Amino acid sequence: FCSSSILKESFIEGLRHFLDHAQLTVTFQALQLPKMTCIWELMYDVLRFGPKNVCIYLLMMIMMWGGDVECLALFASADCDYDHTWMLQSHAVRVSEDLATSDSQTIAILMAGTVARYHLDSTAEHLIAPLGKAGWKVDYFYSLCDGNLGDNATWKKKAARFEPDPTWSEVKRQDIDATIAQKLKTFGADVGSSKVFNHYDTSPDDLSFISGNDSVAPLWSGKKRGSIARRNFVHVHKEINMLWQQVEIQEKKKGAGFQYSYVMFIRDDAYWLKDFDLDLMLQITGGRHHSAGGQVFSLDCEPASMRLDVHPGLVDYLFLADRTAATIFGNLYKYLIRPGDFGTAWVDHLIRTRPYNGETFYRQLTNFTGTDVTEVAAGLIPMQRVGRVGGRLCLHKTCDSKLTNEGKIVVPYLHPELPKC
């Protein structure tokens, strides 16, 4: 607790100087610093935010201290032109001391799915570009099937009607891979590994699981289209596992014990409605935790937004894992198809808990491995699963939630405005 009045006066004087430069008018009332708050920690936090966040954060601190803030030209200032005004509703957030620094901000993004569902422009503009601008080094790994979708290839029949991005109508089939790589490169990502193919390879173990004969993890058992769900689940995670092997190869190539700070596992139909701010998400959620199985961030989807009464599992639209948890999620296919490779304890756990779909399988996997799960408000991961029908974008699956603190809204609902498919 920093109680020195000299420190307070020095900080306030510096704050006034900054706000004058930013064309802001501030009227100070009696400032009451909260207990357990250190001026130097707050200054350190501010310096880490960078020019786009610093103005908003300073206003947050003033409001927290009881200051009366009048922002005359907040968005007229180039340094303050930022779409996180909802931050003003929150208390200041202490940044974890072990967040990535400029020397270690690296992230690998793994995406597997189909060309027909992939939103390249949204990914490049609202995921890749903001990460690069914030100082993150991005390596992108992808695997996409360019085969046609049909009624028997999708869990929900309406998804079979989805139309590919118009971009692909102008691209020859043999040029799809190069088009994606060029776009990602232009917006700041290096391609770590890429694959565009026409059909999935299915092993005998895969077929056993798909048929529903797997007695260890019979997901979607009894469901009318359960075999389709199991097949798609295996296809996606088998490709993810292959991409994960490429991630490990890339890490070895970089040498000197290099490992990615975070690894993102994301769906092909992820459509970003706004820029993704990873630093802000980490700040709001409190940064890294240190558990045996690492930490994974997942979307917090309120059941009502998913048209469910209850949702006991983990939503798999996106997983952001630290390096420890990434090893688990990168090998999820093996945990599912060859559970015996991980010992009898894991097999016994599956038999005892009986996960009945993908979401509950993820939950039981994190429970078993001791992975800390942080479920994040949709506004901090502003994406939805989106399709295209009749030339128009529509919500394939919906996820929305808010974050509150002591009754005050910290992160409001995302409120995606697209129509449902």
Side-chain angles (χ1 to χ4, degrees):
F1 177 57
C2 299
S3 58
S4 169
S5 61
I6 295 177
L7 288 178
K8 292 180 186 178
E9 292 172 2
S10 298
F11 181 74
I12 292 170
E13 183 61 31
L15 188 58
R16 287 184 187 277
H17 178 76
F18 176 86
L19 293 171
D20 286 343
H21 177 72
Q23 301 180 4
L24 296 174
T25 298
V26 179
T27 302
F28 288 93
Q29 295 178 342
L31 297 182
Q32 300 294 328
L33 291 179
K35 292 181 179 180
M36 303 306 294
T37 300
C38 176
I39 282 288
W40 294 112
E41 288 182 345
L42 291 173
M43 291 179 71
Y44 177 68
D45 292 353
V46 168
L47 292 174
R48 293 175 70 89
F49 281 3
K52 288 189 176 181
N53 286 319
V54 67
C55 197
I56 297 297
Y57 190 68
L58 288 171
L59 289 172
M60 286 168 53
M61 289 193 296
I62 297 165
M63 293 181 72
M64 180 182 69
W65 292 341
D68 180 18
V69 180
E70 180 184 1
C71 180
L72 296 182
L74 177 59
F75 297 106
S77 168
D79 287 343
C80 300
D81 186 8
Y82 204 53
D83 186 23
H84 282 306
T85 54
W86 52 264
M87 288 277 286
L88 297 175
Q89 299 174 331
S90 73
H91 295 294
V93 180
R94 178 176 177 178
V95 181
S96 174
E97 294 179 357
D98 62 352
L99 291 182
T101 66
S102 58
D103 294 330
S104 63
Q105 292 185 147
T106 57
I107 181 170
I109 300 175
L110 280 62
M111 186 277 300
T114 64
V115 173
R117 295 189 183 191
Y118 184 45
H119 301 289
L120 176 59
D121 290 345
S122 168
T123 297
E125 294 169 13
H126 296 300
L127 175 60
I128 303 300
L131 284 169
K133 290 178 182 178
W136 289 86
K137 174 65 174 62
V138 184
D139 287 346
Y140 197 90
F141 300 74
Y142 65 90
S143 176
L144 290 169
C145 179
D146 67 349
N148 294 324
L149 294 178
D151 285 349
N152 291 324
T154 60
W155 169 240
K156 295 185 177 181
K157 287 186 176 182
K158 63 183 179 182
R161 299 184 289 114
F162 289 170
E163 303 157 3
D165 189 312
T167 299
W168 305 124
S169 64
E170 304 170 4
V171 177
K172 294 180 180 179
R173 187 171 187 174
Q174 63 269 25
D175 295 332
I176 291 176
D177 198 7
T179 300
I180 295 173
Q182 181 58 46
K183 182 83 172 186
L184 295 174
K185 184 70 174 179
T186 300
F187 281 80
D190 288 332
V191 175
S193 175
S194 66
K195 176 183 174 184
V196 177
F197 60 100
N198 187 252
H199 68 277
Y200 290 94
D201 294 325
T202 308
S203 71
D205 287 340
D206 297 340
L207 291 173
S208 177
F209 173 78
I210 292 169
S211 67
N213 295 327
D214 189 330
S215 60
V216 177
L219 307 186
W220 294 281
S221 178
K223 296 291 184 180
K224 185 176 181 180
R225 295 171 70 84
S227 62
I228 295 173
R230 289 189 292 272
R231 181 185 61 195
N232 292 344
F233 197 74
V234 164
H235 285 170
V236 167
H237 288 293
K238 189 170 187 177
E239 294 301 316
I240 287 291
N241 183 239
M242 293 178 182
L243 293 176
W244 174 247
Q245 294 171 33
Q246 293 301 313
V247 167
E248 294 181 315
I249 290 172
Q250 283 294 321
E251 288 182 328
K252 291 179 180 178
K253 286 183 178 179
K254 293 177 185 292
F258 172 86
Q259 287 189 327
Y260 290 101
S261 306
Y262 289 96
V263 179
M264 179 183 290
F265 304 88
I266 190 167
R267 289 285 190 162
D268 55 350
D269 58 358
Y271 185 89
W272 294 86
L273 303 173
K274 299 179 182 179
D275 287 357
F276 175 55
D277 190 332
L278 176 52
D279 293 314
L280 180 65
M281 190 207 78
L282 293 174
Q283 291 154 13
I284 292 291
T285 57
R288 293 179 179 173
H289 299 175
H290 299 283
S291 56
Q295 181 181 18
V296 65
F297 297 87
S298 174
L299 273 165
D300 176 20
C301 301
E302 294 183 4
S305 73
M306 303 181 74
R307 290 170 286 179
L308 298 172
D309 295 327
V310 64
H311 199 286
L314 294 182
V315 177
D316 63 353
Y317 301 175
L318 176 151
F319 290 123
L320 178 70
D322 68 12
R323 186 55 181 80
T324 301
T327 300
I328 297 168
F329 278 78
N331 287 299
L332 190 144
Y333 166 77
K334 295 179 180 177
Y335 275 96
L336 177 69
I337 299 300
R338 297 202 302 271
D341 291 358
F342 301 93
T344 57
W346 169 237
V347 174
D348 292 342
H349 182 80
L350 281 176
I351 293 173
R352 184 176 67 257
T353 58
R354 306 294 289 180
Y356 54 87
N357 58 15
E359 290 82 358
T360 53
F361 178 82
Y362 303 130
R363 178 71 74 180
Q364 292 306 326
L365 180 61
T366 56
N367 288 346
F368 177 80
T369 56
T371 302
D372 185 84
V373 177
T374 302
E375 294 180 90
V376 181
L380 292 174
I381 305 179
M383 52 77 68
Q384 298 286 290
R385 294 187 63 182
V386 169
R388 183 180 277 102
V389 177
R392 299 180 60 186
L393 294 173
C394 56
L395 292 171
H396 176 203
K397 295 185 178 181
T398 310
C399 173
D400 208 356
S401 58
K402 65 180 178 180
L403 175 64
T404 61
N405 181 22
E406 297 179 352
K408 295 182 179 179
I409 296 177
V410 178
V411 182
Y413 285 108
L414 181 60
H415 288 311
E417 296 179 353
L418 295 172
K420 294 178 181 178
C421 295

